[in-house]
Amino acid sequence: MNRTCASASERNSSITHDGFVGWADESPGRGTLSLIVTCLFTIFLCTWVVIHPRVGKRPLLRVLHKVALFLKTLIAPESIAVEGLQEWSQARRMVKDCANLTDNGLKLVHAFYIGMLALRYRTPRGARVIWPNQYTWLLQQRLVYWDNHEQWGLSKENIRDKSNADSTAKLLALVQVSWFAAQSIMRHAHKLPLAPLESMILSYIPLFAITYLFWWVKPKDVLSPSVVDLPSMYEKQRVLFESMAVSTIFDDEDTEKQNSFWSVWYLTPRVFEKEAADKALLDTQQKLLEADEKGPIQRVERAPNLNARISSNTSKETVVAHWDPDIYRSKFLWPMSCIFGASFGALYLISWDTRFPTPSESWLWRAAALASIVSMLVFMQFEKVVLRWNGLITVISLVSPLVYLVSRVVMIGGVIAAFRASDPAIYESYVVSTYWIHLG
């Protein structure tokens, strides 16, 4: 077997009574420090390249939002993949809705740019976001025309100039991931085990790849939005336009909520969430109106309380998760989403036979990997999860993500703790020269 290996004494590492080794110095094989640095460099580079943050006005909030995305990606990589999928679905829907209004001029890159809150309009207090549904409505009402999209900062050239995608970083990430995956495959071919940390890094790669695919044409690291003046409207049109806003938290009018540091953790709301909320409001209004239709006298007596009752019945609910119906009901995208959701924990199980310091740690690590798969798949079956009591369904829908987070913490903790007493074989290496083709 073509391996290079240094003894424990040569490595200046301690050997436990079970044959495990602690910290291993660099040697003809590899050491603990180089292994950790390589893994951390790979995950940092890939994560930093793959995340595409939304546009914000304040530099500090922009940086903190990107850091928040970075941390969320490390803890729950499925979340960033889901976010990429839902943004792609929304952009694709906007392109379809605007096709006839723009002579197919509005492309995915434009839809992504608007969806990442990069288009705003001036107000006396600052600037507000123009959401995808609002821009579509402006086109439908003939208040704006696609022929003038360059004046609104929507030309591909302007978007490309604002995007700060680093081709060098992308190339470096591709090379690093390719090398990391290749050397992991070669270790398996030589029957050499991977360190638990290496198994964890490998589990990230497929989710990062699919996320990057969804965001392939999405602008990256846009520092400033395109701010425009809205066209003249009738008062009713203006009221309707403003009522279509998905959220006001991301506007730039210096309100307390908009300046809150908690906003960096918020997911960018989707248009389908606004549509679902509007539909729920209309349904509630209709039901209450039907209940009041018991005669002229009763209607007059109950009218003053109608608005209060509507407000009470449509109080804002806390949404934990909400799937885009176009994805949730798709016969192709939904099964694929479930596969991606289970892939992270499943790839962890490649190292099922990895040696841990104690049998209990080994089985805890395996149980955590299995729990992450099952809990994620269970959680994904709920189209919408809200903090509202609905019996056993509420318990399952809210406990499953908690089980997932606990399992992820256990898995990460196990990976870190494993370095105190590791299988000596993880520091062995194969001879690369064996695979060179010699001609002559």
Side-chain angles (χ1 to χ4, degrees):
M1 184 67 67
N2 296 301
R3 299 180 180 179
T4 62
C5 182
S7 66
S9 60
E10 292 173 324
R11 290 180 178 277
N12 295 321
S13 59
S14 58
I15 302 180
T16 68
H17 67 280
D18 292 325
F20 290 99
V21 298
W23 184 274
D25 292 337
E26 302 306 308
S27 70
R30 58 181 185 168
T32 304
L33 180 61
S34 61
L35 191 156
I36 293 175
V37 169
T38 298
C39 289
L40 294 183
F41 177 71
T42 301
I43 193 63
F44 175 83
L45 186 61
C46 293
T47 305
W48 201 252
V49 167
V50 79
I51 56 179
H52 288 57
R54 59 177 172 255
V55 179
K57 182 179 180 181
R58 295 176 59 186
L60 180 57
L61 288 182
R62 283 202 305 268
V63 173
L64 291 178
H65 173 57
K66 195 166 185 179
V67 172
L69 282 177
F70 183 84
L71 294 176
K72 286 194 291 186
T73 302
L74 289 180
I75 296 172
E78 299 92 339
S79 66
I80 202 72
V82 168
E83 188 170 353
L85 173 60
Q86 299 210 123
E87 285 188 3
W88 172 81
S89 177
Q90 175 175 275
R92 187 181 62 164
R93 178 182 175 185
M94 184 179 183
V95 169
K96 182 179 179 182
D97 292 342
C98 295
N100 294 330
L101 302 170
T102 62
D103 291 329
N104 295 313
L106 189 143
K107 305 297 184 182
L108 272 177
V109 64
H110 303 109
F112 271 125
Y113 185 73
I114 297 173
M116 63 192 293
L117 317 186
L119 184 61
R120 302 178 180 232
Y121 67 97
R122 294 182 182 88
T123 69
R125 298 181 58 184
R128 293 182 182 177
V129 173
I130 297 180
W131 296 86
N133 57 326
Q134 290 179 305
Y135 185 74
T136 302
W137 181 83
L138 289 173
L139 290 172
Q140 292 171 338
Q141 299 299 312
R142 306 298 181 184
L143 293 170
V144 299
Y145 295 89
W146 183 248
D147 292 341
N148 300 325
H149 71 280
E150 293 184 1
Q151 299 174 15
W152 279 48
L154 295 178
S155 67
K156 289 185 178 180
E157 293 75 16
N158 180 68
I159 295 174
R160 191 181 303 115
D161 289 342
K162 283 179 171 288
S163 180
N164 289 285
D166 190 338
S167 299
T168 302
K170 290 180 180 179
L171 179 61
L172 184 59
L174 177 62
V175 171
Q176 178 68 16
V177 167
S178 300
W179 175 85
F180 189 88
Q183 67 95 20
S184 299
I185 293 172
M186 293 305 298
R187 290 188 65 81
H188 179 74
H190 283 83
K191 302 187 184 308
L192 292 172
L194 296 173
L197 180 59
E198 291 176 300
S199 300
M200 183 181 76
I201 302 303
L202 279 176
S203 301
Y204 282 98
I205 293 176
L207 287 171
F208 285 172
I210 192 64
T211 304
Y212 198 79
L213 180 63
F214 286 129
W215 281 342
W216 185 259
V217 300
K218 182 183 177 181
K220 179 176 172 61
D221 293 334
V222 175
L223 299 181
S224 60
S226 299
V227 184
V228 301
D229 293 313
L230 284 180
S232 298
M233 302 182 195
Y234 293 113
E235 181 62 26
K236 290 183 178 180
Q237 288 178 315
R238 184 76 180 219
V239 170
L240 177 58
F241 173 81
E242 293 180 351
S243 71
M244 295 173 65
V246 179
S247 174
T248 60
I249 293 178
F250 307 101
D251 294 336
D252 299 322
E253 296 183 316
D254 291 327
T255 65
E256 183 178 351
K257 285 187 176 181
Q258 292 166 10
N259 293 328
S260 172
F261 287 109
W262 287 109
S263 64
V264 303
W265 293 97
Y266 297 159
L267 288 175
T268 305
R270 308 286 176 251
V271 172
F272 73 84
E273 295 174 305
K274 170 66 173 175
E275 293 173 341
D278 289 346
K279 184 178 184 301
L281 176 61
L282 290 174
D283 290 345
T284 300
Q285 290 175 335
Q286 184 63 32
K287 290 179 180 178
L288 291 177
L289 286 171
E290 291 176 354
D292 278 358
E293 290 180 352
K294 296 184 177 180
I297 297 177
Q298 289 85 342
R299 284 203 301 271
V300 171
E301 292 175 346
R302 298 184 183 191
N305 297 321
L306 183 58
N307 289 335
R309 291 166 59 197
I310 290 175
S311 176
S312 174
N313 281 272
T314 58
S315 57
K316 190 171 181 60
E317 57 190 5
T318 302
V319 179
V320 178
H322 194 178
W323 276 98
D324 186 335
D326 290 343
I327 298 173
Y328 190 79
R329 296 161 192 170
S330 170
K331 294 182 179 180
F332 173 74
L333 291 176
W334 180 244
M336 292 301 296
S337 300
C338 292
I339 292 175
F340 294 136
S343 66
F344 188 77
L347 288 172
Y348 247 100
L349 296 179
I350 291 176
S351 299
W352 180 270
D353 294 325
T354 296
R355 294 176 63 191
F356 280 83
T358 63
S360 59
E361 288 181 64
S362 178
W363 282 108
L364 181 62
W365 185 80
R366 294 169 183 172
L370 291 171
S372 71
I373 297 173
V374 175
S375 59
M376 177 55 67
L377 287 176
V378 170
F379 183 60
M380 292 178 67
Q381 303 313 305
F382 297 94
E383 182 175 2
K384 185 177 181 181
V385 178
V386 297
L387 290 178
R388 183 179 59 212
W389 178 250
N390 192 27
L392 183 61
I393 296 297
T394 300
V395 175
I396 296 174
S397 65
L398 295 178
V399 168
S400 54
L402 292 178
V403 171
Y404 172 80
L405 289 176
V406 171
S407 67
R408 287 289 294 124
V409 171
V410 170
M411 293 161 74
I412 293 174
V415 163
I416 296 172
F419 279 107
R420 79 183 191 279
S422 304
D423 185 346
I426 71 172
Y427 296 114
E428 296 182 19
S429 61
Y430 53 88
V431 179
V432 179
S433 59
T434 304
Y435 294 91
W436 286 101
I437 299 176
H438 301 279
L439 300 177

